[in-house]
């Protein structure tokens, strides 16, 4: 009996040992960051039956336990990237196999060291954001940041370079996690100076959590610049020549040195170019018709540089420093012609106004950052950021206004104006974030202090007999100070194996004051004072329906505050009959966003959203109250804006060597406002946009790309309804010298259909028009990588050198 019990115990021990084998590993993206929520599946290699499915944790680690000995195939799938496969994994009794790091990269498999790799997908759908990988597209050649945003999923850029996400305006722009305080033309100039070759990827966060600033109704777009993480000394140089009606050129260089103690990196870029922008409008107001022609030619030169270093004090402490410089200078020449006639006799021109504008603009930016990070590798992290940014913008503009007779032969009157509008912005921020594993979840606490100081001088001169005389009724100094004190708490935790929830609350106290100092004392107005406390809750719920199916529901409340650009009430005239002005009585806008997302196989994403904004800040075009011929653009609060939106993102493989990506966005927008005296906004628009990209492996190592978009009708500002537009682009790529030299050729907007046209009707002004710019181009780009480019993170050799390795399906 005793022997039988012994045998039984031995058998049970043997059985337990047979079921105690395990496999673990860590998934990393190409930048060495942990890949969370990835799907890892284990199959029996003899009959391909599914053995077990696990997902990676917040450190990117997966563990598959309780395995019997045998031979297995392992697959890792994540957010649109090609599947990672490791075949014929031999597992013996009780073996605890550690595959260590499995990394998604763009290099090939190295059989001797069993590195598992894959190409980054153009678009990755992550739990809290959508990632647009710029290097995933050949047609980024010759592009700048604003051109790339036109291609990004769920993002639209209108005819005035205003950016929206899922049909919502008010997006906040970041670069490397730092907010850009620029708007309007200043923001456009900065993005034009930032070249595609310097950008690694763009994060689109449509519903940020409490950890992020509440500013930005449409969420956050974070442009992430390249930062090499390979060991040793590495670098790259690149250059692009682009030819449309005018030429553009840019060049950049980057380098880094990294060891286990520090990482030193630097980038620098220069660019030079010219572009045209043509617009035509036909307007009627107060019994008058205005036939307007605008021809603009803009040239620029720019440079930008970054220098940074990270010191790895030990495994838990890191401190970093970063300095960025951006310098831009440009010349803007504009020809404006307005033929004026009475509506009763439209063919009889009364007079013609001709304005030739010349503007010399300079924009300089310096930002400085100190970062400290503590990570105890057990769930506790502390992150401290201190930033300072200085932005100096200056513009000198000459504007002669000449009235001619109907034949444009006789000069009737002449008024010559000049403008000098320097702006200096200083931004100070300090941010502290703390995270801790608590009660089976992750607790986050943090605070942020920010101060924005903006000094704006607006000087208008009348040129009389060659002498400049300041116009004190049109000139002013406008100083704006804004302090925001913020604190937040957040918590995320799995409820069970299938359900996960997150919640957060952010509080922001805003103290802001705008002081107008006119040169004519009779025009003095009381200061603009904003002082309010706002609460911003957010919540999310995720349901893992099945290993490859998940649903998530998210809610968030956000704010947009008016800044100095829209508060200054004085006129900035484009000509004597066309100008823009701010509104000192603007209120901040508040939005509530709800999004429901469905993700299939960690790569196909379907999203629907609802957004309601109170006091939406928007642009309106209206007739002037004093001059029957003049009209202006102003900023107003809409009473209500409601948007229903949807987005479908689908990367897939048509066949081996042919990868496809399709992104479809659609939204229904409803703008409502009543300003009295018949000035009513009642606009409903359904708009949609389709973007597709086909990447095909061609003979001889070439890779081809066909991409393009079709954008349906939409609305700009409050009331300007625009018609559809589309574009088709082609690209060709070839790599040489062991893939270190990359040559790309692209052609954009082949059929020249990216122009716009539309109509605006508000408060008695009906204006229809259209325009186009230098969008049809051919670009040639070359980049060369040097140094220890192949020093990647590798996992331990598992004795499978002689086994077949397979990537993809």
């Amino acid at each position: 009996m005793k022997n039988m019990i012994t045998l039984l115990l031995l058998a049970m021990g043997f059985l337990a040992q047979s079921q105690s084998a395990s496999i673990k590993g860590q998934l990393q993206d190409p930048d060495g960051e942990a890949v969370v929520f990835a799907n890892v599946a284990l199959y029996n290699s003899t009959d391909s039956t599914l053995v077990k499915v696990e997902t990676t944790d917040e450190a990117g680690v997966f563990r598959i336990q309780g395995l019997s000995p045998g031979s297995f195939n392992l697959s890792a799938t994540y957010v649109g990237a090609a599947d990672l496969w490791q075949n014929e994994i031999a597992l013996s009794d009780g073996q605890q196999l550690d595959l260590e790091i499995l990394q998604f990269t763009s290099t090939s498999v190295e059989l001797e060291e069993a590195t598992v790799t894959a190409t980054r997908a153009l678009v990755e759908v992550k739990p809290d954001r959508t990632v647009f990988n710029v290097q995933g597209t050949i047609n980024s050649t010759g592009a700048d940041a604003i051109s790339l945003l036109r291609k990004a999923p769920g993002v639209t850029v209108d005819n005035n370079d205003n950016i929206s996400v899922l049909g919502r305006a008010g997006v906040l722009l970041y670069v490397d996690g730092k907010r850009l305080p620029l708007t309007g033309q200043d923001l456009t100039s900065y993005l034009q100076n930032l070249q595609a070759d310097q950008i690694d990827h763009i994060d689109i966060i449509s519903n940020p959590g409490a950890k992020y600033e509440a500013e930005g109704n449409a969420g956050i777009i974070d442009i992430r610049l390249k930062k090499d993480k390979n060991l040793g000394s590495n670098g790259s140089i690149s250059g692009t020549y682009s030819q449309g009606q005018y030429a553009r050129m840019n060049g950049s260089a980057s380098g880094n040195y990294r060891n286990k103690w520090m990482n030193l990196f630097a980038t620098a870029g220069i660019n030079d170019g010219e572009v045209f922008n043509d617009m035509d409008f036909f307007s009627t107001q107060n019994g008058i018709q205005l036939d307007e022609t605008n021809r603009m030619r803009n040239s620029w030169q720019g440079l930008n540089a970054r220098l940074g270093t990270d010191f790895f004090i030990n495994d838990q402490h890191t401190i970093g420093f970063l300095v960025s410089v951006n310098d831009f200078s440009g010349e803007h020449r504009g020809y404006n012609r307005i033929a004026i006639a009475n509506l009763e006799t439209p063919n009889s021109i009364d007079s013609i106004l001709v304005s030739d504008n010349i503007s010399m603009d300079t924009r300089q930016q310096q930002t400085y950052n100190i970062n400290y990070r503590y990570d105890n590798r057990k769930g506790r992290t502390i992150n401290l950021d201190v930033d300072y940014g200085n932005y100096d913008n200056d513009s000198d503009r000459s504007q002669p206004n000449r009235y001619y007779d109907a034949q444009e032969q006789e000069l009737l009157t002449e008024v010559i104006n000049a403008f000098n509008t320097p702006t200096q912005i200083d931004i100070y921020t300090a941010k502290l974030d703390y995270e801790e594993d608590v009660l089976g979840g992750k607790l986050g606490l943090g605070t942020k202090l920010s101060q924005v100081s903006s000094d704006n001088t607006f000087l208008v001169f009348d040129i009389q007999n060659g002498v400049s005389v300041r116009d004190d009724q049109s000139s002013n100094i406008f100083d704006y100070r804004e302090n925001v004190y913020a604190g937040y708490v957040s918590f995320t935790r799995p409820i069970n194996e299938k359900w996960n929830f997150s919640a957060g609350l952010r509080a922001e106290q805003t103290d802001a004051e705008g002081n107008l100092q006119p040169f004519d004392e009779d025009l003095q107005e009381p200061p603009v004072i904003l002082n309010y406390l706002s609460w911003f809750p957010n919540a999310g719920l995720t349901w893992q329906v099945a290993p490859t199916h998940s649903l998530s529901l998210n809610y968030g409340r956000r704010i947009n505050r008016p800044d100095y650009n829209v508060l200054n009430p004085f006129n900035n005239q484009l000509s004597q009959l066309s100008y823009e002005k701010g509104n000192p009585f603007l209120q901040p806008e508040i939005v509530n966003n709800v999004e429901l997302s469905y993700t299939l196989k960690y790569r196909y994403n379907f999203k629907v959203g609802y957004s309601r904004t109170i006091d939406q800040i928007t642009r309106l075009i209206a007739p002037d109250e004093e001059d029957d011929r003049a009209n202006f653009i102003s900023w107003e609060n809409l009473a209500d804006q409601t948007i229903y939106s949807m987005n479908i993102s689908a990367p897939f493989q048509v066949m081996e060597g042919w990868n496809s990506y399709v992104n479809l966005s659609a939204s229904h927008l409803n703008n409502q406002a009543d300003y009295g005296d018949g000035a009513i906004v009642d606009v409903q628009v359904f708009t949609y946009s389709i973007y597709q990209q086909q990447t095909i492996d061609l003979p001889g190592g070439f890779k081809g790309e066909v991409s393009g978009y079709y954008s349906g009708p939409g609305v700009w500002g409050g009331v300007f309804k625009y018609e559809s537009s589309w574009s088709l682009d082609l690209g060709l790529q070839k790599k040489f010298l062991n893939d270190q030299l990359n040559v790309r050729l692209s052609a954009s907007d082949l059929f020249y259909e990216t122009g716009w046209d539309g109509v605006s009707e508000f408060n008695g002004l009906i204006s229809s028009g259209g325009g186009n710019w230098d969008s049809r181009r051919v670009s040639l780009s070359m980049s060369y990588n040097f140094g220890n480019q192949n020093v990647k993170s590798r996992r331990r050799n598992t004795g499978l050198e002689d086994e077949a390795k397979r990537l993809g399906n």
Side-chain angles (χ1 to χ4, degrees), residues 504-754:
L505 179 64
R506 187 180 184 91
E508 293 189 352
Q509 171 67 40
T510 303
D511 296 325
E513 181 174 335
N515 285 296
L516 179 68
Q517 303 173 38
F519 291 91
D520 186 338
E521 294 183 358
D522 294 336
L523 299 176
Q524 182 69 53
E525 296 189 9
V528 178
I529 297 178
L530 301 172
N531 190 312
Y532 51 90
L533 173 65
S534 301
W535 299 87
F536 303 97
N538 72 277
L541 190 63
T542 302
W543 177 29
Q544 193 72 37
V545 183
T548 58
H549 302 261
S550 66
L551 282 168
S552 63
L553 179 65
N554 292 281
Y555 161 77
R557 187 174 188 262
R558 301 186 63 76
I559 189 174
N560 260 353
R561 302 175 181 90
D563 61 19
Y564 69 94
N565 281 301
V566 300
L567 292 173
N568 192 336
F570 273 60
N571 297 344
N572 179 22
Q573 69 181 41
L574 308 177
S575 73
Q576 277 201 321
L577 300 183
S578 180
Y579 64 92
E580 59 182 0
K581 66 177 182 179
N583 179 357
F585 303 105
L586 284 174
Q587 296 297 311
E589 61 184 31
I590 299 292
V591 64
N592 289 278
N593 297 320
V594 180
E595 294 178 1
L596 176 64
S597 299
Y598 167 65
T599 303
L600 173 63
K601 295 184 178 179
Y602 296 89
R603 64 175 63 197
Y604 308 110
N605 187 257
F606 307 85
K607 180 181 292 186
V608 293
Y610 168 79
S611 171
R612 186 169 185 266
T613 305
I614 304 300
D615 292 328
Q616 169 80 27
I617 299 173
T618 192
R619 280 183 167 184
L620 293 175
I621 306 173
D624 186 76
E625 296 178 355
E626 298 180 1
D627 189 338
D628 289 343
R629 305 167 301 168
N631 55 63
F632 66 93
I633 297 175
S634 183
W635 296 89
E636 298 288 348
N637 287 114
L638 293 178
D640 181 83
Q641 181 186 77
T642 303
I643 298 175
Y644 296 91
S645 61
M646 61 85 67
N647 180 256
I648 300 174
S649 175
F652 57 92
Q653 188 177 54
V654 179
M655 61 177 64
E656 185 175 355
W658 180 355
N659 292 306
S660 179
Y661 169 71
V662 177
N663 185 80
L664 170 64
S665 296
S667 62
H668 181 273
L669 179 146
N670 184 357
N671 285 342
Q672 295 292 322
D674 187 348
Y675 302 103
D677 298 327
I680 296 174
V681 175
D682 183 13
V683 174
Q684 296 84 38
V685 173
F686 174 78
T687 184
Y688 58 92
S689 178
I690 302 173
Y691 177 80
Q692 63 80 34
Q693 178 173 301
Q694 313 296 324
T695 305
I696 304 173
D697 294 336
L698 302 174
F702 285 90
K703 186 181 293 289
E705 186 174 281
V706 180
S707 64
Y709 74 87
Y710 184 90
S711 180
V715 63
W716 167 71
V719 294
F720 189 89
K721 298 180 180 180
Y722 59 82
E723 298 300 323
S724 60
S725 62
W726 59 279
S727 175
L728 182 67
D729 305 337
L730 298 178
L732 187 66
Q733 175 179 281
K734 169 72 173 176
K735 293 185 177 181
F736 304 89
L737 304 178
N738 295 323
D739 291 346
Q740 288 182 277
L741 176 63
N742 189 5
V743 180
R744 294 176 292 175
L745 178 67
S746 69
S748 57
D749 196 12
L750 295 180
F751 297 95
Y752 202 38
E753 292 290 340
T754 57

Side-chain angles (χ1 to χ4, degrees), residues 254-401:
S254 65
N256 85 296
Y257 173 76
R258 184 184 183 98
N259 58 29
K260 63 179 181 179
W261 303 112
M262 66 171 293
N263 183 40
L264 176 66
F265 57 94
T267 63
I270 58 173
N271 60 84
D272 182 281
E274 187 172 358
V275 67
F276 75 85
N277 191 352
D278 295 341
M279 295 186 294
D280 298 300
F281 290 97
F282 185 83
S283 306
T284 60
Q285 63 183 58
N286 302 319
I288 298 172
Q289 74 173 28
L290 306 168
D291 190 357
E292 181 176 359
T293 299
N294 290 279
R295 299 292 180 263
M296 289 167 279
R297 302 294 181 267
N298 304 325
S299 60
W300 67 88
Q301 302 81 40
L303 65 88
N304 56 79
R306 299 166 68 237
L307 175 64
T309 184
D310 298 315
F311 294 100
F312 313 119
I313 300 172
N314 54 40
D315 289 341
Q316 297 183 347
H317 301 271
T318 303
I319 186 169
F321 305 89
L322 178 64
V323 178
S324 299
V325 177
N326 196 295
D327 188 279
F328 170 90
S329 62
E331 180 182 85
H332 304 274
R333 295 180 175 270
Y335 168 79
N336 177 271
R337 179 184 185 274
I338 303 176
I340 307 166
N342 192 297
L343 273 178
E344 296 182 356
T345 56
N347 295 323
S348 178
I349 297 176
D350 176 69
S351 59
I352 297 174
L353 170 62
V354 177
S355 298
D356 291 309
N357 289 272
I358 300 177
S359 177
M360 305 300 294
D361 301 328
T362 59
R363 313 188 194 282
Q364 297 177 330
Q365 168 204 331
Q366 302 88 36
T367 60
Y368 308 89
N369 168 259
I370 299 176
N371 171 263
Y372 165 74
R373 179 173 177 81
Y374 166 77
D375 187 347
N376 71 350
R377 310 296 179 182
K378 297 179 181 179
R380 177 184 298 170
T381 62
I382 300 174
N383 198 84
L384 174 65
D385 267 294
V386 179
D387 293 272
Y388 167 70
N390 173 259
Y391 303 81
D392 286 328
N393 306 323
D394 197 4
S395 178
D396 288 295
R397 177 158 49 99
S398 172
Q399 184 188 90
N401 294 274

Side-chain angles (χ1 to χ4, degrees), residues 207-212 434-435 441-446 487-495 500-506 536-542 553-557:
N207 213 344
K211 183 177 180 178
Y212 295 93
Y434 171 84
E435 289 186 338
K442 180 75 71 174
L443 173 68
L445 300 169
Y488 76 87
V489 58
S490 65
F491 186 67
T492 179
R493 185 186 188 279
I495 301 173
N500 187 85
F501 86 95
S502 62
L505 179 64
R506 187 180 184 91
F536 303 97
N538 72 277
L541 190 63
T542 302
L553 179 65
N554 292 281
Y555 161 77
R557 187 174 188 262

